[in-house]
Amino acid sequence: MERYNDGERGGSVKVRASIKKLDNRTLIITSLPFGKTTASVVESIIKANERGKIKIRKVDDITAAEVEIQVQLAPGVSSDRTIDALYAFTDCEINISPNCCIIEDDKPHFLTVSDVLRTSTDRTKELLRMELEIEKKEKQEALLFASLEKIFIEERIYKDKEFENAKNMEIAVAHIDKRLEPYKPTFVREITSEDILKLMEIKMARILKFNSDKADENIAKFKSDIEEIDHNLDNLIDYAISWYLMLKEKYGKDYPRKTEIRSFENIEAVKVAEANEKLYINREEGFIGTGLRKDEFVCNCSDIDDIIVFFRDGKYKVVKVSDKMFVGKGILYANVYKRNDKRTIYNVIYRHGKTGSHYIKRFSVTGVTRDRDYDVSQGKAGSRIVYFSANPNGEAETVRIILKPKPRLRILQFEKDFSEISIKGRGSMGNILTKADVHRIQLKQKGVSTLGGRKVWFDPDVLRLNYDESGFYLGEFEGDDQVLVVYQNGNFHTCSFDLSNHFEPNFVRVEKYDEDKIWSAALFDADQNYAYLKRFTFDASDKAANFLGENPDSKLFLLTDVVYPRVEAIFGGGDDFREPIEIDVEEFIGVKSFKAKGKRVSNYEVKDVKELEPTRFPEEEKEKPSEIEIEAEEPINDADLLDEITGQMSLF
């Protein structure tokens, strides 16, 4: 909806099919975007598979009364990644342009939906005003005739001699009009001859059955109705709002919304395209591409990926992957390029010019223009990269620098830890490593990430993980850390912190998985028809498991990770007269498997279980600093190093 632009020309709405996971090998499409059919969606999926954008085994359209398209995935293919790919490369996601146009004065006008709604609402308000005025006029006429009728009958005007002996109708009407003269100030309008003629049409049977009290009630009711109408006219906006609410309440249940309004994350096609190609490199001739099958293999890639290439002279550039492309000789490194990737850090040592100083730098390449040359060095002729490493998680290694022997040069070797160098922009000069001539640089020991773990957030609006601080914070993830997902129906599973993971909307908990965390759950067991309490730990599993049991009618009252939880059981049904009971869960039941049934709360009917504030808290434990041991190479003494550089052989 971000580009909806209130329905104005140029805006668009992104519409998606509903895709669910039946299991890790099967996806089910249960609804389609507007304007698409099952045949067109199936055809687009088959074409995407033929182009290598997705990998599927087959597609089955088993639509009957409801839409149902089953997509069978190929072995080893991620279901979450395939869902994103279906949205990116098939008709499961389309853009609709809601160009709002009206005809006014025989000319088209493009407006916003708000303008149309405002005009329509104003028109509705005017129609309601007209209806109220018509209704008021009808009530006033009814009030007038009821008043005339009451006076005509109670005052027995029909028995006046002047009325009975009137020679013609005009004289009779004039007499009645004269008798009504004292009452005319109370009438809402002037009395006409038509009103008097209508009085004369009253049948005798009605006159005999006339009830003064009932007539007064009718007159009072008419006056009350007129007062209400006047109030609605004075507060026409409030009346229009209540009228719309009445329509919603009366007809809304018969016309439920069939779509779901939700923010969608933008899926980058390059991130979800299946890596169906292999990238090769010919360093000698300076070619890269997917068609160089006899040359050196680099990595898997998709046909829409970008490739970043570094050269020994310090130049680098980003190119589009192709079957075969000449990029230049002296290729040092090539791999798939990820735009806006701040985690991949390049550690570089380069020589400034042919005889200049050696510089050391660390940088990331977050955004560049395709096919444009950039320089790691300062651009001086003869510059050369003497050490290079690409680190996907910002690792910082330690290197040993061996210098060429020179008179009065006391130190022939020293070590440098890249973690001591700040990560700066790709255009930075770097720090001077040494002004002496370098014989060679060798890796002393591999390092660990200097960026720390990956901080992950979960956005409940789009039901996706992100690194952009959107939603609530899950924690800092490293390596094999996983995310625990628990749903209201008792299903749970663990998954990686990859951004392509999908989550269902009825979740109870989404957090960083801790295998030692003890959970407490209060539930209704549909098999036993009693409420139970249980304490357990969740097992790490990418397949969905259920801690409520196999009966789908079982339901969850509450789930908590408080160390010493207290709950209150509230009775219902025939036992609702009983006082609620408080339970210390940690003392009530021990920790068992999530498959265990638990312990019954009570033999009475429990309507609900609510969590109370704990009265005990665990003692805080001091964290011990983690120590990482890395094996280092044996150092070389200066005498042996000098012999190695000069070519001298040692006898001992």
Side-chain angles (χ1 to χ4, degrees), residues 474-487:
L474 297 186
E476 194 170 297
F477 289 71
E478 294 183 1
D480 297 330
D481 287 342
Q482 293 184 301
V483 177
L484 171 67
V485 188
V486 186
Y487 294 102

Side-chain angles (χ1 to χ4, degrees), residues 3 33-34 36 85 106 114 155 166 262 287 302 306 396 504 523 612 629:
R3 298 178 56 194
F34 175 77
K36 296 297 178 181
D106 296 329
S114 296
E155 298 296 327
R262 201 175 76 195
F287 286 93
S302 71
D306 287 330
E504 297 297 326
L523 59 101
L612 303 176
E629 296 183 0

Side-chain angles (χ1 to χ4, degrees), residues 518-521 533-535 558-568 582-589 610-618:
I518 298 174
W519 295 82
S520 302
L533 280 172
K534 61 193 296 186
R535 302 186 76 216
L558 67 87
L559 178 71
T560 178
D561 58 354
V562 174
V563 179
Y564 301 113
R566 292 173 60 247
V567 298
E568 180 184 57
E582 296 183 3
I583 301 174
D584 188 313
V585 182
E586 194 266 342
E587 295 179 352
F588 186 75
I589 186 173
K610 296 183 178 180
E611 186 173 6
L612 303 176
E613 288 292 328
T615 56
R616 294 182 293 157
F617 299 92

Side-chain angles (χ1 to χ4, degrees), residues 24 39 86 103 156 173 212 215 217 226-227 229 244 281 336 349 437 442 486 510 525 528 534 541 557 596-597 620 638:
N24 290 337
L86 287 172
I103 304 299
R156 297 179 177 271
V173 169
S212 180
E217 289 180 6
I226 293 172
E227 289 178 0
I229 294 173
Y244 278 116
I281 184 173
V336 174
I349 299 175
D437 292 336
Q442 63 185 31
V486 186
V510 177
D525 191 311
Q528 303 295 326
K534 61 193 296 186
S541 173
F557 288 126
K597 187 177 291 292
E620 295 184 1
D638 288 351

Side-chain angles (χ1 to χ4, degrees), residues 204-347:
M204 184 58 65
R206 185 174 174 183
I207 294 175
L208 295 175
K209 292 181 180 180
F210 179 76
N211 188 317
S212 180
D213 293 336
K214 189 174 181 181
D216 290 337
E217 289 180 6
N218 289 335
I219 292 173
K221 184 177 182 302
F222 289 139
K223 291 182 178 180
S224 175
D225 292 343
I226 293 172
E227 289 178 0
E228 183 180 353
I229 294 173
D230 287 336
H231 178 270
N232 291 334
L233 286 171
D234 294 337
N235 301 273
L236 193 56
I237 294 178
D238 293 336
Y239 177 73
I241 292 173
S242 63
W243 185 81
Y244 278 116
L245 291 175
M246 178 274 297
L247 287 182
K248 181 180 179 181
E249 183 178 354
K250 185 176 181 180
Y251 301 105
K253 59 181 180 296
D254 298 327
Y255 301 93
R257 174 178 285 278
K258 295 184 178 181
T259 58
E260 178 184 355
I261 299 177
R262 201 175 76 195
S263 297
F264 292 152
E265 74 289 349
N266 292 321
I267 297 176
E268 296 184 30
V270 68
K271 291 184 178 181
V272 299
E274 196 66 39
N276 57 339
E277 301 286 353
K278 295 183 182 295
L279 181 66
Y280 300 91
I281 184 173
N282 187 323
R283 299 179 187 273
E284 183 178 349
E285 297 181 6
F287 286 93
I288 65 170
T290 57
L292 307 175
R293 302 187 183 277
K294 295 182 180 180
D295 293 305
E296 176 187 347
F297 171 73
V298 177
C299 63
N300 292 321
C301 66
S302 71
D303 54 3
I304 60 174
D305 276 332
D306 287 330
I307 307 300
I308 187 168
V309 185
F310 286 87
F311 300 90
R312 293 194 178 276
D313 62 359
K315 299 289 192 300
Y316 68 93
K317 62 181 176 181
V318 173
V319 297
K320 188 74 175 175
V321 69
S322 63
D323 185 60
K324 183 178 180 180
M325 174 186 291
F326 177 77
V327 293
K329 295 184 177 182
I331 298 175
L332 180 64
Y333 171 85
N335 212 321
V336 174
Y337 172 68
K338 299 177 181 178
R339 190 173 298 275
N340 297 322
D341 182 11
K342 298 180 180 180
R343 302 286 295 186
T344 299
I345 304 299
Y346 300 100
N347 298 339

Side-chain angles (χ1 to χ4, degrees), residues 347-351 358-361 384-388 399 401 418 433 441:
N347 298 339
V348 174
I349 299 175
Y350 70 90
R351 185 187 67 209
H358 285 74
Y359 288 79
I360 182 171
K361 64 185 291 187
R384 183 179 180 85
I385 295 178
V386 295
Y387 180 86
F388 178 91
V399 295
I401 295 90
F418 270 96
L433 177 66
I441 300 176

